Amino acid sequence: MDSLKVVWEFFKCKRKVSDGGEGEIQEGLLKLSSEVAEALSSGHPVVALESTIISHGMPYPKNLKTAKEVEAIVRENGAVPATVAILDGVPCIGLSMGELERLATLGTKAQKTARRDIAHVVANRGNGATTVSATMFFASMVGIHVFVTGGIGGVHRHGEQTMDISSDLTELGRTPVAVISAGVKSILDIPRTLEYLETQGVCVAAYKTNEFPAFFTERSGCKVHCRVDTPDDYANLKLKLGSGILIAVPIPKEHSASGGLIESAIQIALREARDKNITGNAETPFLLAKVNELTGGASLASIDLNSSSDIALVKNNALVGAKIAVALAQLKEHSNRGDAE
């Protein structure tokens, strides 16, 4: 099968799932692990997990250890983890331990894959680590309604001039998946990110707070219009609007102090960028390098998921996400039982 045919068959597969069910997926174009397939068919709660955290978030073997721990938290709280990646051109929903280790050892050799990159990676039979937008796409494709990540992308500072806006935001506007994250990093423009999500029709909720968190810290100074205090609150929000829901979970209090150090460095870097009139495409590399310098490398050059506070944050999101998935499955079961009666 040539590359163009692979792409065409793949997107025909997407249409079939949208119109029918998982059983219509053609063999070889999409792979569900037996555990995930069984859970979906039986109505058991499933939580999607992205794979960019594994490949690009931290070095081996720390990435593998963290991935296993996050999956274990999902299981301990009553749901099935479905880590998503593309291996040898095949989108995989749920990875075996061997596949998880392969992805971890590949590291940055696996292509960072957003929605726009899916066709290219599949057609070239490549290995892709899925970002938020691609993971949402695949999760929705097979009927997974809850997805856990660290933080989402957003509108970059001076985005009104550069149009540098993450595809995560448009994906939330068109894909009916609940995304559990710690908000967005303050290196981005948080107020404009929330405005853009409003334009996309995305419900933005904060978990047990009225304020949108800023990843490293519990507060961003931006209020939200929706507060979720229990997993059941989210389950009752699901109204089949055709768009996603963003549930922002603040960093655990015991880790907010170390997160505050990175946040302070970000604010210093932002002021220096403004003083030096560094804007546009030059700003983000400057901010990343400056924050890395100010924190003595604690943040890593990409301000990613390498510190203990960041890992704790992702684990906390996994715990909340699993509980939401369980509440959603219970609500669906109760609804089906009522319809049967």
Side-chain angles (χ1 to χ4, degrees):
M1 188 181 291
D2 61 39
S3 294
L4 286 176
K5 192 172 181 182
V6 168
V7 175
W8 172 242
E9 292 295 333
F10 176 73
F11 283 100
K12 281 203 303 184
C13 159
K14 169 68 173 82
R15 284 205 309 275
K16 288 182 179 181
V17 175
S18 299
D19 298 337
E22 292 84 2
E24 292 186 275
I25 298 173
Q26 297 180 39
E27 184 178 357
L29 292 176
L30 188 68
K31 176 186 172 187
L32 274 72
S33 70
S34 56
E35 182 185 25
V36 171
E38 183 178 343
L40 290 173
S41 64
S42 64
H44 196 76
V46 180
V47 173
L49 301 168
E50 66 164 283
S51 48
T52 302
I53 289 175
I54 303 170
S55 62
H56 291 68
M58 60 196 80
Y60 180 84
K62 189 173 187 177
N63 55 356
L64 179 61
K65 179 176 182 289
T66 300
K68 288 179 178 179
E69 289 172 347
V70 171
E71 287 201 348
I73 288 169
V74 172
R75 288 193 176 92
E76 288 164 7
N77 286 278
V80 170
T83 300
V84 178
I86 301 174
L87 296 175
D88 299 321
V90 178
C92 300
I93 319 296
L95 302 183
S96 66
M97 283 300 107
E99 290 168 333
L100 208 59
E101 181 155 8
R102 180 185 174 193
L103 188 65
T105 53
L106 274 172
T108 55
K109 291 179 182 177
Q111 181 174 337
K112 196 171 183 179
T113 305
R115 181 187 177 112
R116 69 167 188 180
D117 307 304
I118 293 172
H120 172 74
V121 177
V122 169
N124 287 284
R125 296 176 174 81
N127 297 308
T130 55
T131 64
V132 169
S133 62
T135 307
M136 286 183 71
F137 174 85
F138 287 123
S140 178
M141 192 175 182
V142 299
I144 298 173
H145 303 295
V146 178
F147 161 46
V148 165
T149 185
I152 65 166
V155 178
H156 283 251
R157 290 173 185 268
H158 309 290
E160 72 277 11
Q161 298 169 0
T162 65
M163 297 303 292
D164 193 349
I165 301 170
S166 171
S167 63
D168 297 352
L169 306 186
T170 48
E171 199 65 38
L172 272 160
R174 62 184 168 188
T175 304
V177 172
V179 178
I180 318 301
S181 84
V184 300
K185 301 181 182 90
S186 61
I187 195 171
L188 301 172
D189 191 323
I190 295 178
R192 282 194 171 93
T193 296
L194 293 175
E195 286 289 346
Y196 194 90
L197 286 169
E198 180 184 350
T199 300
Q200 292 292 316
V202 177
C203 174
V204 178
Y207 192 69
K208 296 184 177 181
T209 180
N210 295 311
E211 188 165 335
F212 192 75
F215 194 84
F216 294 115
T217 56
E218 298 171 84
R219 299 183 177 184
S220 66
C222 300
K223 300 294 183 183
V224 295
H225 296 287
C226 181
R227 173 175 172 146
V228 173
D229 286 301
T230 69
D232 290 323
D233 288 346
Y234 161 72
N236 291 315
L237 275 176
K238 195 161 179 63
L239 300 174
K240 296 185 178 180
L241 294 174
S243 58
I245 295 178
L246 175 62
I247 300 181
V249 182
I251 186 172
K253 288 184 182 297
E254 61 269 28
H255 293 280
S256 60
S258 56
L261 293 175
I262 297 177
E263 179 61 25
S264 296
I266 290 174
Q267 295 307 318
I268 292 171
L270 286 169
R271 286 195 295 272
E272 187 170 331
R274 185 173 61 247
D275 292 343
K276 293 181 176 179
N277 198 30
I278 299 172
T279 60
N281 293 336
E283 184 177 37
T284 297
F286 171 81
L287 293 174
L288 295 174
K290 189 65 181 179
V291 171
N292 194 51
E293 173 193 329
L294 290 170
T295 59
S299 68
L300 286 189
S302 58
I303 313 182
D304 56 21
L305 298 170
N306 196 51
S307 73
S308 60
S309 62
D310 300 342
I311 294 170
L313 178 153
V314 175
K315 290 179 179 180
N316 186 55
N317 291 350
L319 183 150
V320 173
K323 289 182 176 179
I324 288 174
V326 169
L328 190 60
Q330 290 173 344
L331 183 67
K332 186 175 181 181
E333 182 182 1
H334 179 74
S335 176
N336 290 341
R337 196 161 48 235
D339 292 342
E341 294 173 356

